[in-house]
Amino acid sequence: VYVDVGNAMGANMVDTVAEAVAPSIHELTGGQLGLRILSNLATRRLVNVTAKVTADEVGGKELLHAIYRASRFAELDPYRAVTHNKGIMNGIDAAAVALGQDWRAIEAGAHGYAAITGQIKPLAVWNLGEDGCLHGTIELPMPVATVGGIKKVHPGVQAAFELLNVTSAQDLAIIIGACGLASNLAALRALAGEGIQKGHMRLHGRKHANGNAQ
């Protein structure tokens, strides 16, 4: 059963529909009445975002090619693909939490989609174009909402929506998907360049400095 939930996340609605139609299906088919719940693998709510990045924007041609090789690594090796996708979700989850979305549902659907073929694949890939630029694409389920949830009662979420000036779930999905693609690019640039630990250590240093200041 597919339900068009509009600008809502829709979990409660889909569960309600599943429970409502279950007795009729049971009557038609016989057998034992089982689970009546949605799937978080929302393959009819996919978002697809693309980006183009020049060599100058990432720090030079050599680094641009290194980012491409790092992306290709994730396409070929499932152990790398899992960490590649984790970096994507760093950006997506942060945006989703700030906007009051069900980040656990998004996370579950994303990792399920990455493995839908039976092999873990990267949710985002970067390729070298004939124009000399990096071309990135991300695709994953994005069950988000601009109505319902905690938006009506949480002032921080309300402020985030006012900042974005977004009203449709489709537009919100694009924004959050773009956060994932940007986070992926930042991670690959760090890995292909100075290494991830230098940035991590700077972050830890700032945390300790703030702690001492307090």
Side-chain angles (χ1 to χ4, degrees), residues 143-207:
V144 295
T146 54
V147 298
I150 65 171
K151 181 184 175 184
K152 290 184 178 180
V153 297
H154 196 293
V157 172
Q158 292 170 356
F161 269 97
E162 288 176 9
L163 180 66
L164 291 179
N165 192 27
V166 62
T167 57
S168 75
Q170 183 179 14
D171 288 344
L172 181 61
I174 292 170
I175 291 170
I176 296 178
C179 290
L181 189 58
S183 180
N184 178 239
L185 178 62
L188 294 182
R189 185 185 182 282
L191 285 168
E194 65 183 10
I196 204 73
Q197 279 302 94
K198 188 173 182 180
H200 279 175
M201 291 303 102
R202 283 199 300 266
L203 176 61
H204 285 303
R206 288 200 300 271
K207 288 193 294 186

Side-chain angles (χ1 to χ4, degrees), residues 43-168:
T43 53
R44 294 200 175 196
R45 299 189 72 177
L46 297 179
V47 65
N48 187 294
V49 179
T50 61
K52 183 173 77 171
V53 182
T54 67
D56 289 342
E57 288 170 333
V58 296
K61 187 175 180 180
E62 183 177 342
L63 193 52
L64 181 135
H65 281 260
I67 293 169
Y68 161 68
R69 291 194 298 272
S71 177
R72 184 64 179 149
F73 185 11
E75 292 186 77
L76 299 173
D77 186 274
Y79 287 85
R80 174 59 205 148
V82 168
T83 310
H84 180 97
N85 289 341
K86 188 267 183 183
I88 292 169
M89 300 313 295
N90 284 345
I92 288 176
D93 288 349
V97 169
L99 289 158
Q101 304 301 306
D102 188 345
W103 66 270
R104 297 151 302 177
I106 296 171
E107 182 96 27
H111 293 302
Y113 189 68
I116 199 168
T117 63
Q119 171 82 22
I120 295 287
K121 294 294 183 182
L123 295 166
V125 295
W126 295 88
N127 289 299
L128 291 172
E130 294 181 358
D131 56 1
C133 296
L134 271 177
H135 295 259
T137 301
I138 186 171
E139 182 178 83
L140 72 160
M142 192 60 67
V144 295
T146 54
V147 298
I150 65 171
K151 181 184 175 184
K152 290 184 178 180
V153 297
H154 196 293
V157 172
Q158 292 170 356
F161 269 97
E162 288 176 9
L163 180 66
L164 291 179
N165 192 27
V166 62
T167 57
S168 75

